[in-house]
């Protein structure tokens, strides 16, 4: 049910009860009222073509009728059980069948929680403490994940920089940081410290920066050589880059992966999974009381999220779905680039057709530091104009959805043209 009240009234109410006026996720001056298909509306009734799509989960668009039907059917039979339920078991079966590295999985409620368990699982399995992650790589909010997520100061690798208050100093002792897309840096760390390193944790597509040819294959080969586990954080890329995720798309199979966003069909659900051998760490009988990794959560395997996820996956399996998503994304990238080029603005499209954005620079952006060549002032002006012209997106990403219509593409193309000319005028 839509709530009464203007956007400004809700912004003020939020300021009173939410620190920094919001949920911490997005511009707190926007209060969304509802979404349908490819569109969202704010509390003042302004309509947008939605390229935020809930930060990724709503790949099918908002309120897909088949997903709604599955959820409505489940609601009266129970909203949460804590206990095993067929819906959750079926979803686990569907995910395991889809994702190459998985034989078993455990459900959790958020991607960050899944990443926390992935780190702990790698430590429990190998008996080692250190995790190698990449500068600028995002893995949720655990203490380890907050190391060198978006550091303001440039320190020497592999020293981590905590990006949050409240993190004990000794967490840094267990985290090594390397630049993304640099195999030599990883090789040097493994050669020196592999006996203490449990895993390499990587976003296969880091934020929107693609892996260079051979990079993920190189990480895989080094992990095999040095006996270190490879974790793919597929919270964003899972069921997006391909039905089997980035591991299917790039043809590299990790040891452990995490999934979230799409698998819950818009409800809170994420997962962590691996081979049966590795996942035995979660089984007290098989792992033994000493090395057992305890894992539980009140909403894990929630049946509403499970039926929403199951129906979403069923729809994604239909022939041609990923071709449509990719061709839509390619068209969006191309039309955006054309408008910026016509306005004489230095730029490049970065990412994958299923998830991308524009960087305002011609220089090569292959890791966190080089991505700083992106002109952030240009970015702000451009994104502001897109929003004013009916395109809703996050400041750093554009997610195409499967709900986009020809009319949406026309609105978007006009917004790209206007934003490019607004930016060109402001640069002069
Ligand atoms: C790559 C990656 N890992 C982890 C997370 C955290 O997921 P959640 O927000 O569900 O905790 C995100 C969220 O955007 C993500 O993009």
């Amino acid at each position: 049910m839509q709530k009464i009240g203007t956007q400004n009234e809700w912004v003020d109410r939020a300021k009173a009860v939410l620190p920094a006026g919001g949920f911490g996720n997005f511009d707190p001056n926007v209060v969304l009222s509802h979404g349908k298909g490819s569109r969202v509306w704010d509390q003042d009734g302004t309509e947008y073509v939605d390229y935020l799509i809930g930060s990724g989960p709503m790949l099918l668009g908002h309120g897909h009728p088949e997903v709604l039907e599955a959820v409505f059917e489940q609601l009266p039979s129970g909203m949460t059980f804590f206990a095993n339920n067929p819906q959750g078991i079926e979803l686990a079966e569907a995910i395991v069948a889809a994702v190459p590295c998985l034989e078993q999985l455990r459900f959790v409620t958020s991607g960050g929680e899944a990443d926390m368990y992935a780190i702990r699982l790698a430590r429990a399995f190998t008996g080692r403490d250190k995790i190698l992650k990449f500068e600028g790589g995002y893995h949720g909010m655990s203490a380890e994940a907050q190391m060198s997520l978006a550091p303001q100061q440039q320190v020497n690798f592999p020293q981590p920089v905590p990006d949050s208050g409240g993190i004990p100093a000794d967490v840094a002792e267990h985290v090594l940081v390397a630049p993304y897309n640099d195999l030599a840096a990883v090789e040097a760390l493994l050669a020196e410290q592999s006996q203490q390193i449990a895993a390499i944790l990587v976003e296969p597509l880091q934020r929107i920066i693609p892996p260079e040819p051979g990079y993920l294959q190189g990480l895989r080969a080094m992990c095999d050589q040095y006996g270190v586990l490879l974790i793919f954080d597929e919270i964003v890329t899972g069921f997006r880059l391909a039905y089997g995720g980035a591991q299917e798309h790039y043809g590299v199979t990790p040891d452990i992966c995490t999934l979230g966003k799409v698998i819950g069909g818009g409800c809170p659900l994420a997962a962590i999974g691996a081979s049966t051998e590795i996942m035995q760490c979660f089984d007290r009988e098989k792992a033994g009381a000493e090395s057992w990794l305890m894992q539980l959560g009140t909403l894990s395997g929630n049946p509403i999220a499970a039926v929403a996820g199951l129906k979403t996956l069923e729809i994604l399996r239909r022939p041609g779905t990923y071709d449509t998503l990719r061709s839509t994304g390619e068209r969006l990238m191309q039309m955006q680039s054309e408008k910026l080029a016509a306005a004489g603005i230095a730029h490049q499209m970065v990412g994958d057709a299923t998830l991308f954005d524009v960087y305002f620079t011609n220089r090569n952006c292959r890791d966190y530091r080089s991505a700083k060549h992106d002109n952030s002032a240009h970015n702000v002006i451009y994104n502001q104009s897109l929003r004013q012209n009916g395109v809703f997106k996050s400041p750093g990403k554009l997610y195409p959805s499967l709900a986009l219509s020809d009319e949406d593409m026309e609105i978007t193309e006009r917004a790209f043209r206007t934003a490019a000319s607004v930016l060109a005028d402001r640069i002069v």
Side-chain angles (χ1 to χ4, degrees):
M1 202 185 81
Q2 286 158 40
K3 298 279 182 190
I4 309 286
T6 65
Q7 181 153 261
N8 281 344
E9 284 165 1
W10 283 100
V11 167
D12 286 343
R13 284 174 67 171
K15 279 183 189 151
V17 289
L18 299 168
F23 302 149
N25 291 338
F26 195 75
D27 177 356
N29 296 307
V30 180
V31 179
L32 288 188
S33 137
H34 62 290
K36 190 164 178 3
S38 58
R39 308 279 176 103
V40 286
W41 286 259
D42 70 18
Q43 200 55 36
D44 288 337
T46 311
E47 183 172 347
Y48 302 94
V49 181
D50 187 16
Y51 294 99
L52 177 62
I53 56 168
S55 192
M58 307 316 296
L59 183 54
L60 304 179
H62 296 276
H64 190 288
E66 291 175 71
V67 177
L68 288 186
E69 194 187 334
V71 168
F72 290 155
E73 205 179 285
Q74 176 59 34
L75 280 169
S77 305
M79 291 175 70
T80 202
F81 297 124
F82 195 64
N84 273 6
N85 57 80
Q87 293 81 358
I89 296 167
E90 258 182 40
L91 180 61
E93 286 170 348
I95 296 171
V96 164
V99 180
C101 82
L102 297 184
E103 288 177 346
Q104 294 191 328
L105 60 77
R106 274 285 172 88
F107 287 121
V108 290
T109 312
S110 74
E113 196 186 353
D115 285 338
M116 177 198 77
Y117 279 118
I119 291 170
R120 193 173 292 162
L121 176 62
R123 286 173 167 161
F125 185 75
T126 59
R128 303 172 188 161
D129 284 342
K130 288 193 183 178
I131 299 294
L132 196 165
K133 80 173 284 285
F134 298 94
E135 190 177 41
Y138 181 49
H139 307 289
M141 292 290 145
S142 70
E144 286 89 346
Q146 284 296 301
M147 290 294 175
S148 299
L149 160 61
Q152 298 308 306
Q153 21 151 193
Q154 289 196 359
V155 300
N156 290 336
F157 296 113
Q159 190 190 320
V161 180
D163 278 318
S164 167
I167 295 181
D170 60 0
V171 174
E173 290 167 23
H174 305 300
V175 179
L176 300 166
V177 174
Y180 183 70
N181 266 330
D182 182 345
L183 284 175
V186 173
E187 168 90 70
L189 288 169
L190 290 179
E192 199 186 289
Q193 305 191 45
S194 67
Q195 289 311 305
Q196 298 156 57
I197 300 175
I200 295 179
L201 171 60
V202 64
E203 284 187 87
L205 174 83
Q206 182 169 296
R207 307 288 66 214
I208 53 170
I209 303 173
E212 290 175 356
Y215 177 65
L216 296 175
Q217 288 81 355
L219 290 183
R220 177 69 275 173
M222 279 187 230
C223 283
D224 291 341
Q225 183 188 345
Y226 288 99
V228 167
L229 296 178
L230 181 61
I231 306 173
F232 275 7
D233 179 338
E234 293 236 39
I235 304 294
V236 169
T237 54
F239 293 94
R240 170 170 291 280
L241 265 57
Y243 187 68
Q247 49 197 285
E248 178 189 315
H249 184 65
Y250 296 121
V252 176
T253 307
D255 299 296
I256 298 174
C257 87
T258 55
L259 296 157
K261 301 203 190 251
V262 174
I263 63 167
C267 299
L269 189 102
I272 171 224
S275 64
T276 306
E277 185 194 4
I278 295 176
M279 293 301 280
Q280 277 183 6
C281 292
F282 289 115
D283 184 334
R284 191 174 187 153
E285 271 183 24
K286 298 206 170 104
E290 294 263 304
S291 47
W292 173 53
L293 202 165
M294 185 174 181
Q295 188 273 320
L296 58 79
T298 301
L299 295 171
S300 300
N302 172 269
I304 306 292
V307 296
L310 265 171
K311 186 52 79 176
T312 299
L313 266 47
E314 183 195 315
I315 295 166
L316 291 176
R317 281 197 299 277
R318 292 181 188 157
T321 303
Y322 284 91
D323 292 341
T324 304
L325 182 64
R326 282 203 167 269
S327 62
T328 305
E330 277 157 17
R331 237 179 98 201
L332 287 165
M333 286 172 107
Q334 195 190 348
M335 60 169 72
Q336 194 168 1
S337 191
E338 276 167 14
K339 309 295 175 254
L340 288 165
I345 296 165
H347 74 283
Q348 60 190 294
M349 300 310 302
V350 181
D352 181 86
T354 64
L355 166 63
F356 55 86
D357 213 344
V358 57
Y359 278 175
F360 291 100
T361 175
N362 283 328
R363 296 171 70 177
N364 186 18
C365 296
R366 63 193 297 256
D367 58 16
Y368 176 76
R369 291 186 193 188
S370 53
K372 282 192 176 292
H373 296 313
D374 177 25
N375 188 322
S376 53
H378 288 192
N379 218 299
V380 170
I381 296 166
Y382 186 72
N383 281 319
Q384 233 167 32
S385 172
L386 287 181
R387 176 127 20 119
Q388 280 159 3
N389 287 280
V391 165
F392 197 71
K393 68 181 281 290
S394 91
K397 277 182 182 174
L398 191 150
Y399 285 104
S401 80
L402 284 157
L404 292 166
S405 65
D406 288 344
E407 193 195 355
D408 294 322
M409 297 296 268
E410 281 161 26
I411 293 169
T412 307
E413 185 163 20
R414 278 199 296 276
F416 284 157
R417 188 182 298 117
T418 307
S421 86
V422 166
L423 182 56
D425 289 347
R426 294 280 288 274
I427 290 171
V428 173

